[in-house]
């Protein structure tokens, strides 16, 4: 469920008419619903209440500091993967003891900043990284919590680019190596090897791969008497983009809670998309209609630099007119919705049935709250658009549209070329 709905043929976000926001904010822009974000956070929290987990919202899915602040203010921790995300987390006022830090390539400066800030856990993905964190922790005179990320070698049904729990991916460590690490914990006097971490992939629609991974890891803990207090089961819960039937947070929790409860471990979750996915849409304006002998194109001002998921993963995002005219079904036609970028892969939707959309009309690309703005770029020297958050009957521009000056910030021409 989300807070984008039609009333009298006009799309609303909570109690704001989207068309009214578009009169004040240049398109394309991202529009987030505060209530949807928080509702989804609460859903997951309620579903897992029996194990009272620490829920760390995955910053990479939607990282505007207003979004992070909303999460933090409502009790969430944050899951970060870079110094940049740590910086954002701090601006959002997060409690360091609610921050977990994953990723295969943490740099020395990033590790240093995270230790100084006092984060809760490093999720470590290699032996060399473990040695590096030990070295930095020692030099700072600190002892830090470490969870080893296990690659459970399970195959989730999702796009191969976002399936992380398969043996051949770069993520985590195999069971044998993890066992070896725990047997040589004396080598890491400044590390508290106090957790295990797993993340099997993203946009996973059923509990089976989670169950398989959790089962394998709990067996491993038992078999080798691995002494840890925390188990971070990652993120990855899928959402509905078109015809998927994802499990609800409750049905997902029901399937894995018995195992988690039996383990007596303290549980950490890192959901991203489940919380942010349906909380955001991309609003874009029609520029031109173009009829070719083969196809009809609706050319809009949003493009693959704004939302790359369709181009990169052939992801489906529902696209709807922001204002529906009464006889729209009569004028419906099959169109490709494409952006201005010079690549044939620049599309937001293909073969979609839409009423005729005049130049100037607005479209909403749904389910764009996760990995939308965060994966946007300046390709074709396009300025990234604004991010807007609606709270009730008010909207707030939480990131301004970039200026041309922003585009060249930090660039310079060497004197020799002048
Ligand atoms: N924890 C870790 C260690 C992760 O790598 C990820 C996502 C998450 C949590 C959050 O996963 P979520 O709950 O959002 O599925 N760009 C892709 C998704 C990449 C996911 C990367 N890792 C997309 O647009 O579908």
């Amino acid at each position: 469920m989300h807070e984008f709905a039609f009333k009298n043929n006009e799309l609303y976000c909570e109690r704001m008419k989207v068309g009214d926001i578009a009169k004040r904010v240049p398109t394309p822009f991202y529009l987030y619903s505060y209530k949807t974000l928080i509702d989804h956070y609460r859903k997951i929290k309620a579903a897992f209440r029996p194990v009272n987990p620490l829920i760390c919202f995955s910053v990479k899915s939607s990282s505007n500091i207003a979004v992070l602040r909303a999460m933090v203010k409502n009790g969430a921790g944050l899951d970060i993967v870079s110094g940049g995300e740590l910086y954002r987390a701090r601006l959002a006022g997060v409690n360091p003891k609610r921050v977990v830090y994953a990723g295969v390539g943490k740099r020395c400066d990033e590790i240093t900043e995270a230790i100084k800030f006092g984060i809760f856990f490093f999720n470590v993905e290699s032996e060399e990284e473990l040695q590096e964190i030990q070295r930095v922790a020692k030099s700072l005179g600190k002892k830090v919590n470490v969870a080893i990320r296990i690659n459970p070698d399970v195959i989730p049904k999702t796009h191969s680019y976002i399936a992380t729990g398969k043996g051949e991916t770069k993520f985590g460590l195999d069971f044998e190596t993890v066992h070896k690490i725990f047997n040589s914990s004396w080598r890491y006097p400044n590390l508290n090897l106090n957790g295990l971490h797993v993340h099997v992939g993203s946009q996973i629609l059923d509990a089976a791969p989670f169950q398989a991974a959790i089962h394998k890891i709990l067996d491993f803990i038992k078999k080798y008497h691995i002494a840890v207090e925390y188990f971070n089961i990652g993120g990855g819960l899928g959402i509905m983009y078109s015809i998927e039937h994802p499990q609800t947070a409750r049905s997902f929790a029901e399937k894995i809670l018995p195992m988690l409860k039996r383990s007596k471990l303290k549980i950490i979750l890192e959901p991203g998309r489940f919380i942010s996915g349906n909380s955001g849409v991309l609003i874009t304006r029609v520029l031109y209609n173009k009829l070719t002998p083969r196809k009809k194109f609706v050319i809009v001002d949003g493009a693959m630099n704004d939302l790359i998921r369709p181009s990169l993963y052939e992801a489906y995002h529902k696209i709807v007119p922001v204002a529906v005219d009464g006889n729209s079904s009569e004028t419906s036609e099959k169109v490709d919705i494409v952006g201005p970028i010079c690549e044939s892969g620049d599309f937001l939707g293909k073969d979609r049935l839409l009423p005729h959309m005049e130049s100037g009309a607005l479209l909403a690309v749904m389910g764009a709250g996760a990995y939308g703005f965060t994966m946007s770029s300046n390709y074709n020297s396009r300025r990234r658009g604004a991010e807007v958050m609606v709270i009730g009957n008010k909207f707030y521009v939480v990131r301004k549209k970039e200026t041309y000056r922003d585009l060249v910030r930090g660039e310079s021409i060497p004197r020799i070329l002048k």
Side-chain angles (χ1 to χ4, degrees), residues 48-162:
F48 281 89
R49 183 152 296 134
V51 292
N52 192 25
L54 169 62
I55 299 176
C56 295
F57 172 64
S58 196
V59 172
K60 63 175 90 62
S61 73
S62 182
S63 59
N64 185 289
I65 54 174
V67 170
L68 303 186
R69 180 67 198 155
M71 298 309 306
V72 166
K73 215 169 148 62
N74 282 277
L78 299 174
D79 154 47
I80 61 165
V81 289
S82 69
E85 287 193 352
L86 175 61
Y87 181 69
R88 287 178 175 279
R90 296 177 76 150
L91 290 180
V94 74
N95 173 348
K97 287 290 158 243
R98 290 176 163 265
V99 175
V100 296
Y101 186 172
V104 295
K106 305 176 190 77
R107 280 196 326 256
C108 171
D109 59 314
E110 294 175 311
I111 294 168
T112 307
E113 282 158 23
I115 295 180
K116 283 189 176 160
F117 183 52
I119 65 160
F120 192 37
F121 262 102
F122 282 97
N123 295 328
V124 172
E125 311 223 13
S126 69
E127 287 183 273
E128 291 197 7
E129 184 196 337
L130 211 53
Q131 289 155 15
E132 181 68 353
I133 300 176
Q134 161 58 33
R135 196 185 61 74
V136 179
K138 188 174 172 201
S139 72
L140 295 172
K142 292 270 164 65
K143 184 137 184 164
V144 300
N145 272 339
V146 159
I148 307 290
R149 177 168 180 177
I150 293 194
N151 184 324
D153 197 16
V154 297
I155 304 175
K157 264 192 249 145
T158 189
H159 192 283
S160 66
Y161 288 6
I162 54 177

Side-chain angles (χ1 to χ4, degrees), residues 289-307:
N289 281 276
K290 173 169 168 169
L291 188 62
T292 73
R294 301 257 177 97
K295 277 208 152 183
K296 170 134 197 229
F297 294 97
V298 176
I299 301 165
V300 296
D301 62 2
M304 67 189 284
N305 76 297
D306 299 299
L307 178 66

Side-chain angles (χ1 to χ4, degrees), residues 193-298:
L193 299 183
N194 198 15
L196 290 176
H197 172 230
V198 67
H199 171 75
V200 284
S202 200
Q203 183 55 10
I204 300 174
L205 298 168
D206 71 305
F210 292 95
Q211 285 172 300
I214 293 170
H215 188 70
K216 272 187 168 183
I217 293 171
L218 294 179
D219 270 1
F220 166 75
I221 293 179
K222 210 163 155 194
K223 184 167 174 198
Y224 295 105
H225 308 288
I226 306 286
V228 289
E229 235 182 307
Y230 288 89
F231 186 16
N232 179 337
I233 63 167
L237 250 95
I239 62 166
M240 192 166 93
Y241 286 104
S242 59
I243 49 159
E244 304 92 339
H245 288 289
Q247 57 197 337
T248 60
R250 190 164 296 279
S251 69
F252 170 65
E254 273 164 11
K255 292 203 181 105
I256 60 171
L257 271 173
M259 283 196 278
L260 298 181
K261 274 200 246 170
R262 251 181 278 128
S263 78
K264 304 235 165 35
L265 295 166
K266 293 179 183 154
I267 304 300
I268 302 174
L269 300 174
E270 300 171 336
R273 186 187 325 256
F274 183 82
I275 292 174
S276 55
N278 283 322
S279 75
V281 302
L282 174 68
I283 304 297
T284 182
R285 202 179 280 282
V286 175
L287 296 174
Y288 304 110
N289 281 276
K290 173 169 168 169
L291 188 62
T292 73
R294 301 257 177 97
K295 277 208 152 183
K296 170 134 197 229
F297 294 97
V298 176

